[in-house]
Amino acid sequence: MGGKINLGPTPLLFPTPVVLVTCKSASSRPNIITIAWTGIVNSQPPMIGISIQPPRYSHDLIRNAGEFGVNVPSRDLLRIVDYCGIVSGRNVDKFKETGLTLMSSEKIKTPLIHECPVNLECVLRHFLHLGMHDLFIGEIVATHVDESAVDSSGQLDSSKIDAVGYFSRPRDYWSLNERIGVHGFTGGHR
Amino acid sequence: MGGKINLGPTPLLFPTPVVLVTCKSASSRPNIITIAWTGIVNSQPPMIGISIQPPRYSHDLIRNAGEFGVNVPSRDLLRIVDYCGIVSGRNVDKFKETGLTLMSSEKIKTPLIHECPVNLECVLRHFLHLGMHDLFIGEIVATHVDESAVDSSGQLDSSKIDAVGYFSRPRDYWSLNERIGVHGFTGGHR
């Protein structure tokens, strides 16, 4: 068997999602921040975590509003995903610059991004200071999916979405290829 | 533009990683649990979160040991990934059943899985009860990578790993296709 190299402490994980988080305080315009430090943290009630550095413009917007949107992009939005992770909403109206379409939420005040095939409305439930980043944990109170990505049973059909994955090191975006199995396919047999 | 369907509160995210977490208390044999509720939560110091339901055998092993390993699998391990998410370590010695090779850690006592191309040694720093799941946040104190997956600059080459992604709904495993961009490729230009 081959050898291993110790890279030292590294935030290395793959594939991570890479999502467009929307946020808005009472007095601000809506903003968008790209986040790869995200994951589902609870099934019931459904909750998602996103981590943001305190100096980022979106950090205080979310803290003040107590809510945020998570918009899961498809591959055709890759340039926008990259752009919204680099530019600050302090200086730029990202909805205006990207031409993305504001979509009203049902349970929160923060708008969502219509072009993303999946949108989650989140209410902030926990906040944890960790170091360079703070962790925001939101309860998912509504989930919107493109009509065209839903199958006849009313559930998401993953094959109808051209998803984007991320390698946190060396920081690159990947497309997905094909479904290689469904959860439980082994039936617990080796 | 097409319409949207509201699925109600759903833990829907993609692609998520799907990892093999190793754990061991002072008196137990080493165990493996498959986790998709995971994500990087902090860059400096690097930290990762994993969420586990309290009744699961691994939950108390990690709580008691105060540490765990995260082993990121490649596609050839897919059957094992699925199997380790279904069977309980209370009844089965998963290392024995799967034939996976124990690999010693450098900074913690919990062993890792040699066959996985990336291995993270994690020390428990935060514990948060959320509902159906508890969130364990571990500081990544060492990162091991297959020699064959490292490029000449000593960093991971993502194209040398056949990664597995997961859709949390409808719960299926996906292979990755190709690198479609590197972080920052837009240079902040639309």
Side-chain angles (χ1 to χ4, degrees):
Chain A
M1 231 176 287
K4 296 270 183 175
I5 292 179
N6 187 341
L7 301 183
T10 309
L12 174 52
L13 188 64
F14 54 84
T16 74
V18 55
V19 298
L20 295 169
V21 170
T22 41
C23 45
K24 182 189 178 328
S25 72
S27 60
S28 81
R29 63 181 173 230
N31 189 42
I32 308 171
I33 179 174
T34 303
I35 301 275
W37 287 179
T38 183
I40 298 290
V41 292
N42 196 49
S43 293
Q44 198 54 253
M47 293 185 186
I48 188 168
I50 59 170
S51 289
I52 305 179
Q53 298 184 37
R56 298 293 296 267
Y57 177 58
S58 297
H59 182 281
D60 289 358
L61 293 188
I62 295 174
R63 204 129 192 227
N64 291 334
E67 54 172 62
F68 57 92
V70 173
N71 306 272
V72 190
S74 46
R75 182 179 175 170
D76 56 311
L77 299 172
L78 184 63
R79 277 197 69 86
I80 288 174
V81 167
D82 191 70
Y83 170 82
C84 288
I86 294 177
V87 174
S88 173
R90 272 196 194 88
N91 315 314
V92 170
D93 180 339
K94 296 193 201 178
F95 269 100
K96 187 176 166 194
E97 286 300 315
T98 58
L100 290 171
T101 310
L102 288 160
M103 168 182 151
S104 294
S105 291
E106 292 184 6
K107 306 271 191 180
I108 63 175
K109 290 175 185 164
T110 305
L112 305 167
I113 299 173
H114 196 283
E115 286 81 356
C116 289
V118 170
N119 318 89
L120 310 174
E121 300 183 25
C122 304
V123 175
L124 187 60
R125 295 290 184 222
H126 298 274
F127 175 84
L128 201 56
H129 180 65
L130 294 175
M132 182 181 279
H133 287 77
D134 288 336
L135 172 61
F136 297 80
I137 295 179
E139 180 180 341
I140 301 166
V141 295
T143 309
H144 307 277
V145 178
D146 275 2
E147 226 167 43
S148 61
V150 167
D151 65 20
S152 56
S153 73
Q155 297 304 306
L156 183 76
D157 180 345
S158 49
S159 69
K160 291 181 175 168
I161 291 180
D162 201 359
V164 179
Y166 189 64
F167 270 68
S168 66
R169 294 289 182 283
R171 300 192 188 191
D172 46 26
Y173 307 103
W174 281 70
S175 62
L176 271 63
N177 188 17
E178 53 171 358
R179 182 187 284 133
I180 54 176
V182 293
H183 180 267
F185 76 91
T186 60
H189 300 291
R190 275 293 302 130
Chain B
M1 230 176 289
K4 298 268 182 176
I5 293 180
N6 187 341
L7 301 182
T10 308
L12 173 53
L13 188 64
F14 54 84
T16 74
V18 55
V19 299
L20 295 169
V21 170
T22 42
C23 46
K24 182 189 177 328
S25 72
S27 60
S28 81
R29 64 182 171 229
N31 189 42
I32 308 170
I33 178 173
T34 303
I35 302 275
W37 287 179
T38 183
I40 298 291
V41 292
N42 196 49
S43 292
Q44 199 54 255
M47 293 185 186
I48 188 168
I50 58 171
S51 290
I52 305 180
Q53 298 184 37
R56 296 294 295 266
Y57 177 58
S58 297
H59 181 281
D60 288 359
L61 293 187
I62 294 173
R63 203 128 194 228
N64 291 332
E67 53 171 64
F68 57 91
V70 174
N71 305 273
V72 190
S74 46
R75 181 178 174 170
D76 56 312
L77 298 173
L78 184 62
R79 277 197 70 87
I80 287 173
V81 168
D82 191 70
Y83 170 81
C84 288
I86 295 177
V87 174
S88 173
R90 272 196 194 90
N91 315 314
V92 170
D93 180 339
K94 296 192 201 178
F95 270 99
K96 188 176 165 194
E97 288 298 316
T98 58
L100 290 171
T101 309
L102 288 159
M103 169 182 151
S104 294
S105 291
E106 292 183 8
K107 306 271 191 181
I108 62 174
K109 290 176 183 164
T110 305
L112 304 166
I113 299 172
H114 196 285
E115 285 82 357
C116 289
V118 169
N119 318 91
L120 311 175
E121 300 183 23
C122 304
V123 175
L124 188 60
R125 295 291 183 221
H126 298 273
F127 176 84
L128 201 57
H129 180 65
L130 294 175
M132 182 182 279
H133 288 77
D134 287 337
L135 172 63
F136 297 81
I137 295 180
E139 180 180 341
I140 301 165
V141 295
T143 309
H144 307 277
V145 178
D146 276 2
E147 226 167 44
S148 61
V150 168
D151 65 20
S152 56
S153 73
Q155 296 306 305
L156 183 77
D157 180 344
S158 50
S159 69
K160 291 181 175 167
I161 290 180
D162 201 358
V164 180
Y166 189 65
F167 270 68
S168 67
R169 294 289 181 281
R171 300 194 189 190
D172 46 27
Y173 306 104
W174 282 70
S175 61
L176 270 64
N177 189 18
E178 54 171 358
R179 183 188 285 132
I180 54 175
V182 294
H183 179 266
F185 76 91
T186 59
H189 300 291
R190 274 294 302 133

